[in-house]
Amino acid sequence: MSKRPTLEVFVGLPAVGKSHVRANVIAHMNDSDVFVYSTDDLIDQFAADTGVTYSEAFKTFVKDATQQADLDVVYAIEDLRSVVWDQTNMSDKKRRKILKRFPDAYKKNCTCILPPFNDDQAAEHKRRLENRPGKVIPAFIMRSMGNSFVLPSTNEGFNNVSYYDLYGDTVDRNRAADLFGVFAK
């Protein structure tokens, strides 16, 4: 094998900028054949193809999108393609489930965009959520996602974990651990 493939797992609430950061991560992977695992992308495409909103498409297409992405990632792994996993992945249980799918041949990284941790960030996050036409996430779902957040660490099996705030600024791992009550290694 000439080059070690990379798995990059994104962690963060909806509308914190994961998909925006994704383009930069892919550009720096130096890999022309990256598979992006994103049920949101598939749902967005289904919505565009059928002339409905994302929220409407989500209700009818989320299971199919998940099945399609799960099948496609199996082929990507068989071909040892680099993979970017772009979902919320808020819990350590979910991330460990993802990591188990990938053989040791993969370098496993995590990019975590932290939940808003001050009033300014909370206001900005609210603004972003409100400015996504046709893409509405019920408040109870957002609370559930926020409550399931566990700060990712190398203890989960990642080779590297990078932390960012809502504005894309790097957050030191010790500061991230201070903010979210755990020590991240």
Side-chain angles (χ1 to χ4, degrees), residues 1-182:
M1 177 173 47
S2 60
K3 175 171 104 53
R4 188 174 183 195
T6 300
L7 166 66
E8 188 76 39
V9 176
F10 280 83
V11 174
L13 291 168
V16 294
K18 294 182 306 294
S19 295
H20 178 74
V21 172
R22 178 176 89 186
N24 292 331
V25 168
I26 290 172
H28 286 94
M29 288 176 101
N30 296 321
D31 193 336
S32 61
D33 193 26
V34 176
F35 172 73
V36 176
Y37 185 110
S38 172
T39 51
D40 268 2
D41 287 357
L42 294 170
I43 294 167
D44 278 335
Q45 186 60 54
F46 178 78
D49 291 348
T50 58
V52 298
T53 67
Y54 173 93
S55 293
E56 293 166 328
F58 184 89
K59 293 173 189 172
T60 59
F61 191 63
V62 68
K63 263 189 195 174
D64 291 340
T66 301
Q67 288 174 343
Q68 184 63 53
D70 283 344
L71 180 62
D72 290 345
V73 80
V74 167
Y75 295 127
I77 293 167
E78 285 176 2
D79 294 340
L80 290 176
R81 291 172 60 194
S82 289
V83 174
V84 171
W85 201 291
D86 184 1
Q87 289 185 304
T88 57
N89 304 314
M90 299 294 279
S91 74
D92 55 341
K93 181 179 177 182
K94 170 75 190 284
R95 295 188 297 266
R96 284 189 171 111
K97 187 175 175 184
I98 293 167
L99 288 169
K100 282 183 182 180
R101 298 176 81 158
F102 289 82
D104 291 340
Y106 276 82
K107 181 179 180 188
K108 298 166 184 164
N109 297 327
C110 179
T111 297
C112 176
I113 302 176
L114 298 167
F117 52 83
N118 61 36
D119 290 342
D120 288 340
Q121 288 189 17
E124 173 60 15
H125 187 235
K126 182 179 182 204
R127 185 195 66 75
R128 290 181 189 182
L129 284 168
E130 291 171 349
N131 285 299
R132 301 178 339 153
K135 204 171 196 177
V136 177
I137 301 170
F140 77 94
I141 299 282
M142 288 297 295
R143 277 191 305 276
S144 176
M145 283 190 266
N147 290 339
S148 71
F149 178 68
V150 174
L151 189 69
S153 76
T154 55
N155 292 336
E156 295 174 20
F158 293 109
N159 299 98
N160 182 55
V161 180
S162 300
Y163 307 98
Y164 299 90
D165 69 11
L166 192 72
Y167 301 109
D169 294 326
T170 302
V171 176
D172 174 83
R173 72 176 184 196
N174 292 325
R175 171 78 172 131
D178 287 345
L179 289 166
F180 294 97
V182 296

